[in-house]
């Protein structure tokens, strides 16, 4: 954060820190988020029981995704971004201060939950359940399937090459940030999150066209942006390699490439 923001985050001796007031002002949103994360934790812990009932699980998941998109995305503006990753890395390099991150309680709580969940279940918890733009892609793709729109299956050989793009994007943005954090934030516009979620498409037409194009591609290729272009997904995938166990059961009957 800029120096002025850092100064405003700090309180004079004897005064209540600014972030206290912000947390109280957003107590309703924090409570709803707490319930959401508790429910998601239950789903993950008892996943075998929950997924044993196909129709119930489908309705539960669809309802949760709608809540993620409407509440986290449109109401609370709690869309995590690669910008948050860069800010955290630079904070570690230049002097970490908790109070600066506590200024946005929704983002702080989400990042805390994602960090813990990655140790057990990998990045799929955020990407599959808590990303407003990701849920928007999944919901629109489900609608497209119901309307009979034919899906495009990417050959596995091409898929292997395309998914590397997001890792290159993340490493590139991170490298640029070491020279100029402002320039890195500009390159972070490869994420459509700000346009589609934070600003709700009320933006200049090139940004709107870009975000709409990604959603259009997602009608034919499920989670197209998430699979191949998302630098945040790449940033989460790297530490997620350290997860403690494989929560998805891989069966040989499911195919030679992925099981």
């Amino acid at each position: 954060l800029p120096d002025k923001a850092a100064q405003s985050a700090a309180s004079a001796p004897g005064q209540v820190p600014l972030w206290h007031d912000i947390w109280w002002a957003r107590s309703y949103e924090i409570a709803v988020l707490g319930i959401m994360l508790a429910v998601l934790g239950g789903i993950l812990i008892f996943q075998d029981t929950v997924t044993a009932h196909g129709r119930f699980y489908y309705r539960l998941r669809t309802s949760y995704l709608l809540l993620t998109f409407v509440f986290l995305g449109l109401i609370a503006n709690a869309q995590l971004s690669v910008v948050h990753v860069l800010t955290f890395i630079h904070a570690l390099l230049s002097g970490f201060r908790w109070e600066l991150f506590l200024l946005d309680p929704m983002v702080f709580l989400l990042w805390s939950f994602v960090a813990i969940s990655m140790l057990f279940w990998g990045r799929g918890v955020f990407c599959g359940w808590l990303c407003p733009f990701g849920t928007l892609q999944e919901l629109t793709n489900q609608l497209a399937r119901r309307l009979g729109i034919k899906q495009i299956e990417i050959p596995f050989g091409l898929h292997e090459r395309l998914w590397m793009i997001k890792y290159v994007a993340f490493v590139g943005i991170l490298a640029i940030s070491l020279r100029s954090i402002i320039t890195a934030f500009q390159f972070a516009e490869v994420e459509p999150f700000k346009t589609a979620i934070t600003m709700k498409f009320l933006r200049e037409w090139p940004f709107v066209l870009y975000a709409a194009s990604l959603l259009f591609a997602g009608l034919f290729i499920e989670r197209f942006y998430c699979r191949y272009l998302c630098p945040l997904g790449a940033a989460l995938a790297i530490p997620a390699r350290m997860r403690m166990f494989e929560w998805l059961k891989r069966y040989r009957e499911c195919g030679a490439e992925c099981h």
Side-chain angles (χ1 to χ4, degrees):
L1 293 174
D3 291 340
K4 290 184 179 179
Q7 293 171 3
S8 65
S11 299
Q15 290 186 349
V16 176
L18 176 60
W19 65 268
H20 280 206
D21 294 334
I22 296 175
W23 280 63
W24 275 112
R26 304 190 68 178
S27 57
Y28 167 75
E29 294 178 348
I30 292 172
V32 175
L33 177 60
I35 295 172
M36 287 182 63
L37 297 181
V39 170
L40 179 55
I43 293 173
L44 296 172
I45 293 171
F46 301 104
Q47 59 179 310
D48 291 339
T49 302
V50 175
T51 57
H53 307 280
R55 181 173 296 181
F56 168 75
Y57 176 71
Y58 173 78
R59 291 176 177 174
L60 175 64
R61 177 168 169 76
T62 301
S63 300
Y64 199 98
L65 293 181
L66 282 170
L67 184 60
T68 294
F69 173 65
V70 175
F71 174 71
L72 288 185
L74 302 183
I75 297 176
N77 283 332
Q79 170 72 67
L80 301 188
S81 166
V82 73
V83 168
H84 296 119
V85 176
L86 298 179
T87 303
F88 179 75
I89 293 174
H90 280 264
L92 292 177
L93 296 175
S94 60
F96 189 87
R97 297 180 62 188
W98 279 109
E99 59 267 25
L100 300 183
F101 294 92
L102 290 169
L103 289 174
D104 192 333
M106 300 295 286
V107 170
F108 178 82
L109 293 173
L110 272 174
W111 271 120
S112 300
F113 182 84
V114 170
I116 295 172
S117 66
M118 280 199 301
L119 296 176
F120 296 93
W121 298 288
R123 68 182 172 92
V125 176
F126 170 73
C127 295
W129 294 87
L130 296 171
C131 178
F133 188 81
T135 62
L136 177 59
Q137 282 190 106
E138 183 166 338
L139 293 171
T140 52
N141 181 264
Q142 288 182 11
L143 179 61
R145 290 171 184 264
R146 286 182 174 272
L147 294 176
I149 295 179
K150 186 177 180 180
Q151 299 297 293
I152 299 175
E153 295 294 333
I154 303 294
F156 185 74
L158 178 59
H159 167 77
E160 272 193 317
R161 290 162 176 79
L162 289 176
W163 70 260
M164 294 177 62
I165 297 175
K166 60 186 177 185
Y167 291 94
V168 174
F170 169 66
V171 172
I173 293 172
L174 177 59
I176 293 171
S177 74
L178 298 177
R179 182 175 180 85
S180 171
I181 189 68
I182 301 301
T183 304
F185 286 175
Q186 293 173 345
F187 276 90
E189 288 285 359
V190 68
E191 294 180 329
F193 306 156
K194 182 177 179 180
T195 299
I197 304 299
T198 306
M199 302 187 71
K200 304 173 182 61
F201 289 99
L202 299 176
R203 211 175 177 196
E204 295 83 355
W205 71 265
F207 296 101
V208 174
L209 179 61
Y210 173 66
S213 299
L214 293 176
L215 290 174
F216 180 75
L219 298 177
F220 304 92
I221 303 173
E222 186 178 2
R223 285 181 175 259
F224 171 80
Y225 172 78
C226 300
R227 287 183 178 185
Y228 305 122
L229 300 176
C230 183
L232 176 59
L236 295 178
I238 296 172
R241 295 290 181 181
M242 299 183 295
R243 63 181 179 268
M244 297 176 65
F245 62 87
E246 292 284 349
W247 68 291
L248 289 176
K249 293 180 174 61
R250 313 286 179 173
Y251 299 103
R252 291 191 176 278
E253 294 83 359
C254 290
E257 291 86 8
C258 67
H259 303 296

